[in-house]
Amino acid sequence: MTEINSVTTLTRDGDVAVITLNSPPVNALSGNVRQGLYDGFKAAAASDAKAIVLICEGRTFIAGADISEFGAAAGVPTASLFDVQDMMENSPVPVVAAIHGTALGGGLEVALCAHYRVAVPSARLGLPEVALGLLPGAGGTQRLPRVVGVETALEMMTSGRHVPAPEAAKLGLVDELAEEGKLKEAAIAFANKCVAENKPLVKISSNNTKLEAAKGKPEIFAAFRKANARKFRGFAAPEANIKCIEAAVNSATFEDGLKAERKLFGELMMGAQSAAQRYYFFAERQANKIPDVPDDTPIRPINKVGIIGAGTMGGGIAMNFANVGIEVVIVEQQQAPLDKGLATIRSNYERSRTAKPEETAKRIGLITGSLSMEEAFADVDLVIEAVFERMDVKKDIFAKLDAICKPGCILATNTSGLNIDEIASVTKRPQDVIGLHFFSPANVMKLLEIVRADHTAKDVIATSMKLAKKIGKIAVLVGVTPGFVGNRILGQRQREAQKLVMEGAMPWDVDRVLFDFGFPMGPFAMSDLAGLDIGWVKEKSNGETIRDVLCEMDRRGQKTGAGYYDYDENRNAIPSPVTEKILHDFIVKSGVNPRKISDEEILERCIYPMINEGVKILDEGKAIRASDVDVVWVNGYGWPVYRGGPMHYGDVVGPEKVLAKMKEFQATMGDQFKPSALLEKLVADGKKFSDLKG
Ligand code: 3HC
């Protein structure tokens, strides 16, 4: 065995040279890895080997470029990825890439420079750069369509999808599937076969057949752009990816296409969107790290889950567990709502068709119902209470759970803002009580706020974090504070939105500004969608608020065909003269002089108080770090990922500007804009929001 460098070895198996990379955790293409590959291929080519296999140790094949190197100062000069690729593609003997785990981004781009690819069925291949606000910048945009064709390349590159190896084999990305656990042997055997059969040294870059099919057909791209316009709105990277594939089709040579790719890659890399998306990539991974709950904290086994409440929330939560094979029992007080809840779950499964029919049946079969907590919960490992938000009801339930559940059972509440310490106080085991705040619809929304109360045990936190990952959620650990992190910050935006329309802005002005910022919809369109009558009681309504008046007029949102907006037969929202008149009357009555409010003011008044609230939350220790606040807002509240989250956005705008504006608003509009002491300190110390820890 020759040690090429600290992450690369070169060994021999008969006529085959085997280059092995071992750079944990994911064999990313850091300078050291690139240099190892370069020197490894050089040494292999200089030897008498008749073929070369590239394989990786650890959990995965190369998972891409090293993202932490992007935007960082250049280190010691090393071989570039292009140097490595040239060496591979022009190797005088066949090169076989042996793929397990994931071959992603630069990893797949390296594999595409091998003459052949062998993969185990569990491997996944893809070009996910788009998720980082980028495009494949090492020839992937030019090679992928040459292998899979233009349409598939468009779909793969703009979605970033990780394609399972069996599908990749059908697409021609993988030449042979190896038996699981026998990758190295299979790749060496394949390499020997290449030699024995004198197989050609396939250079993807020089095969244009698949591109020819799309030549002179701009309609392919036009149709793709049109079909995905909504999904791509606001993002720069999908369009740049599409342009690169157009360049592959329309350029005279591979090299010309590569030039277009490099130019667009450079533009994205320098842009604010990719910086935000790369920041967010690490933010999401950071959120898993709890400083005082180390990775090796023991976890409690969760084999059966109990849920209280068969409403929309309880049902959605149940589906998460059944989807990963965990048994669930739902308890309701009456048979009718229980039956209704179980029927809704069934129809949700049948409508979604995400799994094969037999798998769907299995999942439905894992969810049962009961009218008795005593009977249903004696053997569960976790109970999640998902009833309406009333402290007395929740306390009553937790006192009962304390009496019924076995020792060690985790007692969780799905409250979206009530005090969990108070709920825990009625039990004799507050160490087992935690908040699991799912977002609606709970089977779809990715965010899970895990709420740590005063006495929550570390292993309960560790178990909840692991379980969240298992059910496909992105978990953020937060502390007990009204509304927790997400809703507490939302409260700031909602307040300003309501105030703006009382000063002369129209609901559609506020919505448009926030929509253009990148939110899927503004607060008033959102209210119309959710229903204005949530929490509204007819008998108590006295026309004191705009909502009261709208609901009294039976304008309760989309479901009644009108709310803040009017709706046409296709549910398109139309600015409403009725709402305008109601607002006008309110403003006149309040004695305020309505004024024209600029888009800039709308945005700043909605967003800066959110950032200030995020700072307060961190100051109070209710979130661990600034980026956790961002993960909550991107995943739970539609904050556009290409703006990183409220705290990252604060850094883009600049803490000084946020502070100055808050002071200006405070002087003219009152103390709801009072900057937090920590914001003042942050600016005085010349620090950034992202430096803040809770
Ligand atoms: N660069 C640097 N670090 C990376 C990385 C990368 N490409 N991919 C993963 N990591 C790190 C993570 O930050 C994490 O570090 P931590 O343990 O310190 O938090 C560790 O590796 C493990 O990652 P995950 O927690 O995400 O592990 P999973 O097993 O859940 O997922 C994965 C593994 C599917 C490979 C996932 O990490 C992933 O999707 N990585 C990114 C893949 C990617 O986007 N590749 C393209 C990069 S851009 C590129 O290649 C440009 C090129 O075209 C020039």
Side-chain angles (χ1 to χ4, degrees), residues 25-26 28 59-60 63-68 70 81 102 104-107 109 124 128-129 132 134-138 162 265 281-282 285-286 288-289 469:
V26 295
R59 64 212 252 200
T60 180
D66 185 340
I67 305 166
S68 61
F70 294 164
L81 199 47
T102 46
L104 298 176
E109 291 173 297
R124 288 173 296 137
E129 284 87 342
L132 299 167
L134 291 172
L135 54 85
H162 300 181
F265 181 79
F281 174 86
F282 290 113
R285 280 151 184 87
Q286 273 292 106
N288 281 321
K289 300 182 172 78
K469 194 156 192 186

Side-chain angles (χ1 to χ4, degrees), residues 510-561:
V510 176
D511 281 354
R512 176 181 41 78
V513 169
L514 291 171
F515 180 79
D516 289 348
F517 182 78
F519 283 102
M521 62 176 75
F524 296 100
M526 189 67 202
S527 296
D528 273 3
L529 180 66
L532 293 183
D533 54 356
I534 295 179
W536 176 76
V537 184
K538 192 174 181 179
E539 293 69 33
K540 290 190 188 158
S541 182
N542 53 11
E544 259 183 13
T545 64
I546 295 159
R547 179 177 86 153
D548 278 353
V549 177
L550 289 169
C551 286
E552 284 164 18
M553 293 171 77
D554 214 26
R555 296 179 65 97
R556 299 186 189 194
Q558 283 198 22
K559 61 185 172 188
T560 55

